[in-house]
């Protein structure tokens, strides 16, 4: 099958729900609007409030920026497909979507692992916190969080683009490299190796590091006062919830990509696919806005100012 710009992939996981496509579209559009508004609110609050210009809050704002990036790469196309009878996507649009969704997921993991380092130093080595987590360190770590996922995703994508394909049906609701590789007419051993390296670097290593840091934090908390434990719990709980949710989503998506979806309940597979791109962007503003009093207080302050001006 020729690889040209006229070639289209067919996303086969979309379920024909008839009239219910319209309520589904409205609900999805509302969720997209909530994700945009809530994450923009956190970015604005952290940017405008000088008291929040600290590493932990800057990393939270970076997570929100990544949520906007990933959501805008998924939802517009998803909303179009909900109202469409056909679910064809061109090669350029498909590979663009792959790049955005993969870099979003990998960046999410690397940013969360960097936040684990920040919490680890704050709890286990507080006297040297300001020497270790400097503005320069924050900039370097933020650059790494964006550059590593971009490199590995770009490398995998460059290999996927060159594959000669013997089909066009992707068992997904969005494009994915592994599903495209399964359509290849030739061996995909090289792209498999790159995929493994990317998963180890951007998923497995961050997972191991976060588990290590939280193990050390737990050891320190065991010997500390109740007040100290409460403060640590308050700052670490949102990060823990996000990390567990994202790790579960990524591993479900990896497993789902390697299984034959036709042998599964299609609605269950659809829910798992949506969970990956929907839950993390929704969770971040909710848990950080509700669990961290500094952000919560400044969000209410900003909303009060807007109401007063209106």
């Amino acid at each position: 099958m020729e690889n040209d710009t006229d070639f289209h992939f067919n996303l086969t996981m979309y379920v024909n729900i008839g009239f219910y496509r319209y309520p589904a579209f409205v609900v999805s559009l509302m969720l997209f609007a909530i994700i945009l508004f809530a994450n923009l609110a956190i970015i604005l609050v952290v940017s405008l409030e000088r008291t929040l210009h600290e590493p932990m809050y800057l990393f939270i704002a970076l997570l929100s920026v990544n949520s906007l990036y990933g959501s805008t790469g998924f939802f517009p196309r998803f909303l179009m497909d909900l109202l469409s009878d056909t679910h064809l996507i061109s090669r350029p649009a498909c590979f663009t979507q792959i790049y955005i969704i993969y870099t979003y997921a990998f960046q999410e993991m690397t940013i969360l692992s960097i936040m684990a380092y920040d919490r680890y130093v704050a709890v286990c080595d507080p006297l040297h916190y300001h020497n270790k987590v400097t503005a320069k360190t924050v900039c370097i770590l933020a650059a790494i969080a964006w550059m590593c996922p971009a490199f590995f995703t770009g490398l995998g994508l460059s290999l996927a683009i060159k594959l000669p394909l013997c089909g066009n049906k992707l068992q997904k609701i969005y494009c994915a490299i592994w599903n495209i590789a399964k359509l290849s007419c030739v061996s995909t051993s090289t792209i498999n190796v790159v995929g493994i390296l990317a998963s180890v670097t951007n998923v497995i290593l961050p997972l191991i590091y976060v588990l290590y840091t939280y193990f050390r934090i737990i050891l320190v908390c065991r010997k500390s006062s109740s007040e100290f434990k409460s403060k640590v719990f308050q700052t670490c709980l949102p990060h823990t919830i996000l990390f567990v949710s994202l790790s579960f989503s990524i591993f479900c998506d990896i497993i789902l990509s390697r299984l034959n979806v036709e042998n599964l309940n299609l609605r269950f597979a659809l829910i798992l696919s949506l969970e990956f791109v929907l839950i993390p962007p929704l969770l971040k503003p909710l848990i950080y806005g509700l669990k961290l009093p500094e952000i919560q207080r400044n969000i209410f302050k900003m909303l009060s100012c807007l109401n007063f001006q209106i």
Side-chain angles (χ1 to χ4, degrees):
M1 184 171 291
E2 297 209 6
N3 295 330
D4 52 46
T5 53
D6 294 327
F7 177 82
H8 286 72
F9 292 103
N10 185 14
L11 303 173
T12 63
M13 196 183 283
Y14 283 93
V15 180
N16 185 6
I17 54 176
F19 172 79
Y20 293 103
R21 70 173 68 180
Y22 301 107
F25 174 85
V26 173
V27 171
S28 299
L29 183 61
M30 290 175 62
L31 290 174
F32 184 37
I34 291 170
I35 289 171
L36 293 180
F37 174 79
N39 283 284
L40 277 173
I42 287 182
I43 294 168
L44 287 174
V45 164
V46 173
S47 300
L48 299 176
E49 185 57 47
R50 294 180 63 86
T51 59
L52 298 182
H53 291 180
E54 298 178 8
M56 181 176 73
Y57 300 109
L58 293 176
F59 290 136
I60 291 172
L62 193 60
L63 277 177
S64 290
V65 170
N66 197 45
S67 288
L68 295 180
Y69 168 71
S71 297
T72 52
F74 168 75
F75 271 98
R77 174 73 205 190
F78 176 67
L79 291 170
M80 288 173 54
D81 280 321
L82 281 177
L83 297 180
S84 177
D85 292 323
T86 60
H87 306 102
L88 300 176
I89 181 170
S90 66
R91 279 176 56 86
C94 186
F95 290 126
T96 300
Q97 188 182 60
I98 286 174
Y99 183 82
I100 293 174
I101 290 178
Y102 275 58
T103 50
Y104 152 74
F106 289 156
Q107 283 160 190
E108 200 86 342
M109 289 294 291
T110 51
I111 294 170
L112 287 171
S113 63
I114 290 169
M115 292 178 73
Y117 168 74
D118 174 73
R119 291 299 85 205
Y120 166 71
V121 176
V123 174
C124 301
D125 196 10
L127 296 179
H128 298 94
Y129 178 80
H130 293 290
N131 293 328
K132 290 185 175 181
V133 189
T134 62
K136 182 180 179 181
T137 304
V138 170
C139 292
I140 292 173
L141 291 175
I144 292 172
W146 286 89
M147 291 170 62
C148 285
F151 170 75
F152 280 105
T153 303
L155 182 60
L157 199 57
S158 66
L159 295 173
I161 289 172
K162 298 174 183 177
L163 289 176
L165 305 178
C166 292
N168 73 331
K169 293 184 178 180
L170 301 179
Q171 295 178 330
K172 297 283 284 185
I173 57 172
Y174 53 83
C175 292
I177 290 179
W178 179 249
N179 295 82
I180 290 176
K182 289 195 288 188
L183 299 176
S184 174
C185 305
V186 297
S187 172
T188 58
S189 56
T190 303
I191 199 170
N192 289 340
V193 171
V194 171
I196 291 171
L197 287 174
S199 298
V200 169
T201 305
N202 296 285
V203 179
I204 304 300
L205 290 181
L207 175 61
I208 293 172
Y209 181 73
V210 171
L211 292 176
Y212 166 75
T213 57
Y214 271 88
F215 175 71
R216 294 292 301 273
I217 288 172
I218 289 170
L219 290 180
V220 171
C221 287
R222 287 180 61 188
K223 304 174 184 178
S224 305
S225 64
S226 298
E227 184 180 353
F228 181 81
K229 291 178 183 177
S230 176
K231 186 176 180 181
V232 171
F233 179 78
Q234 186 181 51
T235 57
C236 291
L237 180 61
H239 179 270
T240 305
I241 294 172
L242 273 179
F243 189 79
V244 170
S245 171
L246 182 66
S247 299
F248 177 77
S249 301
I250 289 177
F251 282 113
C252 284
D253 190 72
I254 291 173
I255 293 171
L256 198 63
S257 295
R258 280 150 178 76
L259 294 176
N260 188 351
V261 177
E262 294 176 353
N263 297 330
L264 302 175
N265 183 295
L266 195 56
R267 286 180 174 80
F268 176 71
L270 184 62
I271 290 170
L272 286 181
S273 295
L274 283 174
E275 199 267 348
F276 170 65
V277 291
L278 180 62
I279 300 302
L282 271 176
L283 267 183
K284 268 172 278 186
L286 289 177
I287 64 174
Y288 280 119
L290 296 175
K291 290 294 181 183
L292 294 184
E294 293 84 359
I295 290 182
Q296 184 184 32
R297 183 167 56 250
N298 283 285
I299 286 177
F300 286 139
K301 180 181 175 182
M302 183 180 69
L303 292 175
S304 299
C305 291
L306 288 174
N307 290 332
F308 178 76
Q309 291 176 0
I310 293 173

